[in-house]
Amino acid sequence: MDGPTDASAGSGGSELAADSGPPAIAAADVHRSYGDTVALDGVSLSVSRGEVFGLIGPNGAGKTTLVRALTGTTKATGEVQVLGSPPTDVDPQRIGLLPQSFSPPERLTARELVAYYAGLYDEARDPDAVLDDVGLADASDTWYEKLSGGQQRRVCVATALVNDPDVLFLDEPTTGIDPAGRRALWELIEGLAAGGTTVFLTSHAMDEVERLADRVGLLNGGRLVATGAPADLIAEHGGAPRLVVDTAAGSNEVGDVGYPVEATAETLVFHGVDPVDIGQVVAALDAAGVDYGALAWKQPSLEEVYLTLAGERYDRPGGKGDGLGGTGESVPAAASATGGEGTAGDAGGDSR
Amino acid sequence: MSATKRVGSEFRAAWRSFLRRRTAVFFTFFFPVLLVVIFGALVQTQPTGGGLFSEPAGYYLPGYLAVVVLFTPLSRVGSEIARHRDGNRFEKLATTPLKRWEWLLGGTLVNVAVIGLAGLLILGLSILVTGAGIPLAAETLLLVPYVALGVALFCGLGAVIGSLADSQDGVIAASNAVALPLLFLSDTFVTLDLLPEWFRPLVLASPLTYFARGVRAITYGETTPLPVDLGVAPAVGYLLVLAVLSAVLFAVGAALVPRTD
């Protein structure tokens, strides 16, 4: 394959692996339609060996279809190679897949399920060790249907790890898993990546992708609209940091603090505030006699990037929070999109 | 060796899954009991009365066996494919070394085991309840490959139905629509002389006919000549035809087992 076009805007996450043979995953001009619905519209990407690539995008953007195209489980046009071969020709021993909405036989125990998939490979890991990795050693004798939703998903993850794959496709692996379980899985994925496993991950959890992925691709309407390292994408598309102040005061009640200020129903939002200047803003509020409650300083995150590029702004009715629609400012309405109230610790921001 | 390991893994998982569905297990074995009791004991046969069930009891033994050989694999394999598709299991399996024919073979072996047991139950009940006799001869052992090949054949057909139907409901409806005419128009319960003259050649289009006639040649001693002389005893000849049909339908079914979305 003559080097498919790499839509990446950022640097690869695995410089070491980049020179060790063909990329782990390469796709060029991949198209897939279902009737009149275009699921993939000319997607090109390249994932280096040992890299963790996170794919984000709205529901229906084509993420699962892209995973299927890359694993050869749907018939797409264009060119796809995994480890230098078309996906259907790759040694399955080297590939692991967790499909979205995967539901294995429900009346097998967790151990039996993992052992079942282990039995399909010439070489496989010990099922108990894999269950231990996903934190289910204590539930290995429980039928799948009796496990909680999060435990079920972890068993499914275990089935993708049982052959110790070189390239691992995880389609929304942490859906339904509680925070502790998610973090355990994140550490597991980080460990796999550190060991050289290439991970192709789709997720709706921006914190997950931001933490795990060396590079992120944003798919929207079947097109890969941006790729790059999370930090690069945030710098390019995330907007400026801002200070959100809970107050009923209007913007004209505060003097010039050196930052653009904007009022919503119950907040004042100061854009581009450097953390070291928070005291300056507070002093200005005090000097103006503004009565205020909580303050929250927010860094832009991958979520802002997602909302901006996917065009998924959400302003809550009534304007509570930092919904900024109609201001003419080029600032994404990020925090409100997740229902975040603009208080401490939200969306990756640092609280005061 | 690898294929054996994979089929073994598939068999173990499918076998455990089946045994743990208690309702399915119960009715798999209750169904043939019901059948023999209703037709063999309540309705009974009337050797001199004409019409349906006018032959001696032993004549209908292949029919009773045909019921489980036909219905159970057809509906079980078809439903299993629908379940696998709904749960994205084929998408997962497509990225493993397991081949489609290995998946179907694992499921078929489970069906052979289950229906083998159900078949033994039918034979025992038929002898006890209807008075049908089964010869104690070496040739009787041919019933084992007959049941195994019959099951494989209808597992293949079940795979075809399961792959073409778009839902579990569709599988059940299609299975019944296919199974019912096959059951009654395959020289099982309805003798050829009850069918119109023009229809009789069509009976040979049903694979179940070769099962029923072969089994009848073994258990009842009545031999209907093969359409083509193969130079072997009818029981062996029908078995050979059944083997070819099983291989073809199994191959077609395996080829149609879903791999992609």
Side-chain angles (χ1 to χ4, degrees):
Chain A
M1 181 171 167
D2 291 327
T5 306
D6 187 350
S8 168
S11 61
S14 180
E15 301 296 340
L16 287 176
D19 296 329
S20 57
I25 302 166
D29 198 26
V30 175
H31 290 257
R32 179 70 168 100
S33 296
Y34 299 92
D36 293 334
T37 303
V38 177
L40 296 176
D41 189 10
V43 173
S44 299
L45 60 83
S46 177
V47 180
S48 302
R49 297 189 187 213
E51 184 177 9
V52 177
F53 188 92
L55 186 67
I56 58 177
N59 292 327
K63 298 187 298 298
T64 292
T65 305
L66 181 55
V67 170
R68 288 175 173 166
L70 297 177
T71 54
T73 55
T74 193
K75 289 175 181 169
T77 60
E79 197 164 7
V80 174
Q81 295 213 342
V82 177
L83 297 169
S85 302
T88 50
D89 294 343
V90 181
D91 178 2
Q93 186 77 40
R94 302 182 67 187
I95 303 295
L97 169 66
L98 170 65
Q100 189 189 34
S101 307
F102 177 50
S103 173
E106 64 274 6
R107 292 201 176 170
L108 297 180
T109 68
R111 181 189 289 112
E112 287 167 348
L113 264 175
V114 177
Y116 160 52
Y117 286 100
L120 305 182
Y121 295 94
D122 290 338
E123 294 176 22
R125 297 180 59 203
D126 173 31
D128 284 323
V130 181
L131 285 171
D132 192 37
D133 281 350
V134 297
L136 283 179
D138 294 339
S140 57
D141 290 324
T142 306
W143 284 6
Y144 179 82
E145 69 176 12
K146 303 284 187 190
L147 296 170
S148 70
Q151 288 175 318
Q152 288 181 344
R153 196 61 179 160
R154 280 192 271 168
V155 173
C156 295
V157 171
T159 66
L161 303 176
V162 77
N163 56 317
D164 197 15
D166 294 329
V167 181
L168 181 60
F169 294 90
L170 299 172
D171 197 350
E172 300 189 17
T174 56
T175 301
I177 300 181
D178 61 37
R182 287 175 68 207
R183 286 175 190 276
L185 270 184
W186 291 353
E187 288 171 12
L188 176 65
I189 293 169
E190 286 167 341
L192 290 168
T197 304
T198 305
V199 180
F200 190 95
L201 168 84
T202 80
S203 181
H204 285 292
M206 297 300 118
D207 54 341
E208 177 171 292
V209 177
E210 197 168 340
R211 168 167 169 167
L212 294 176
D214 298 310
R215 278 192 307 136
V216 176
L218 194 146
L219 199 64
N220 195 15
R223 289 178 167 273
L224 201 56
V225 296
T227 57
D232 294 341
L233 288 178
I234 291 166
E236 189 173 351
H237 303 286
R242 62 198 186 282
L243 183 70
V244 181
V245 180
D246 285 356
T247 176
S251 57
N252 56 350
E253 296 179 44
V254 187
D256 181 15
V257 294
Y259 295 104
V261 60
E262 182 176 12
T264 66
E266 295 177 20
T267 63
L268 286 175
V269 181
F270 298 88
H271 298 293
V273 177
D274 193 279
V276 298
D277 292 339
I278 291 176
Q280 173 188 325
V281 176
V282 170
L285 290 171
D286 290 339
V290 171
D291 186 24
Y292 59 92
L295 290 85
W297 182 77
K298 294 187 172 186
Q299 274 186 310
S301 67
L302 197 57
E303 192 155 299
E304 275 80 24
V305 177
Y306 168 88
L307 293 166
T308 301
L309 295 179
E312 291 214 335
R313 295 164 64 101
Y314 169 68
D315 296 320
R316 292 177 9 162
K320 174 73 173 83
D322 52 349
L324 304 174
T327 64
E329 297 273 349
S330 60
V331 178
S336 60
T338 55
E341 306 294 302
T343 54
D346 193 13
D350 297 327
S351 60
R352 65 175 172 138
Chain B
M1 188 62 191
S2 291
T4 307
K5 182 187 174 197
R6 293 192 292 270
V7 172
S9 189
E10 185 63 48
F11 174 85
R12 280 190 297 277
W15 178 252
R16 284 175 175 141
S17 289
F18 170 71
L19 289 185
R20 290 170 187 174
R21 289 199 293 270
R22 284 182 293 183
T23 309
V25 173
F26 176 77
F27 282 104
T28 296
F29 291 99
F30 182 66
F31 186 45
V33 171
L34 206 61
L35 195 77
V36 175
V37 168
I38 289 175
F39 291 104
L42 296 179
V43 176
Q44 298 189 343
T45 58
Q46 302 168 30
T48 56
L52 280 171
F53 291 96
S54 60
E55 300 290 333
Y59 180 90
Y60 298 103
L61 188 58
Y64 298 139
L65 280 176
V67 171
V68 286
V69 165
L70 169 66
F71 273 91
T72 308
L74 210 57
S75 59
R76 287 198 66 234
V77 171
S79 297
E80 197 59 37
I81 286 183
R83 265 197 296 274
H84 267 59
R85 192 171 42 216
D86 291 347
N88 285 337
R89 295 180 203 166
F90 286 123
E91 184 184 347
K92 166 81 177 161
L93 289 175
T95 61
T96 72
L98 186 75
K99 295 176 175 60
R100 282 178 269 198
W101 69 266
E102 293 169 352
W103 180 85
L104 187 56
L105 181 57
T108 298
L109 291 175
V110 170
N111 277 283
V112 168
V114 170
I115 293 158
L117 292 172
L120 283 175
L121 185 63
I122 286 176
L123 289 176
L125 277 175
S126 297
I127 293 168
L128 287 173
V129 176
T130 71
I134 297 172
L136 289 173
E139 193 183 42
T140 304
L141 290 174
L142 284 176
L143 287 178
V144 175
Y146 262 104
V147 169
L149 289 170
V151 169
L153 189 153
F154 290 108
C155 280
L157 189 56
V160 172
I161 292 171
S163 303
L164 298 179
D166 60 358
S167 65
Q168 288 199 43
D169 290 346
V171 168
I172 292 166
S175 296
N176 289 337
V178 169
L180 206 65
L182 284 183
L183 182 63
F184 289 105
L185 301 175
S186 302
D187 210 358
T188 48
F189 294 108
V190 180
T191 53
L192 279 186
D193 58 316
L194 292 176
L195 297 171
E197 189 83 36
W198 63 267
F199 189 85
R200 292 174 192 172
L202 294 179
V203 169
L204 294 174
S206 165
L208 198 60
T209 298
Y210 303 95
F211 173 86
R213 288 182 178 177
V215 171
R216 188 170 292 123
I218 296 167
T219 60
Y220 188 62
E222 181 186 280
T223 56
T224 307
L226 277 158
V228 179
D229 185 14
L230 297 177
V232 293
V236 176
Y238 281 115
L239 187 64
L240 291 175
V241 175
L242 193 65
V244 171
L245 293 174
S246 295
V248 169
L249 268 171
F250 184 90
V252 172
L256 288 177
V257 168
R259 175 184 170 85
T260 69
D261 61 350

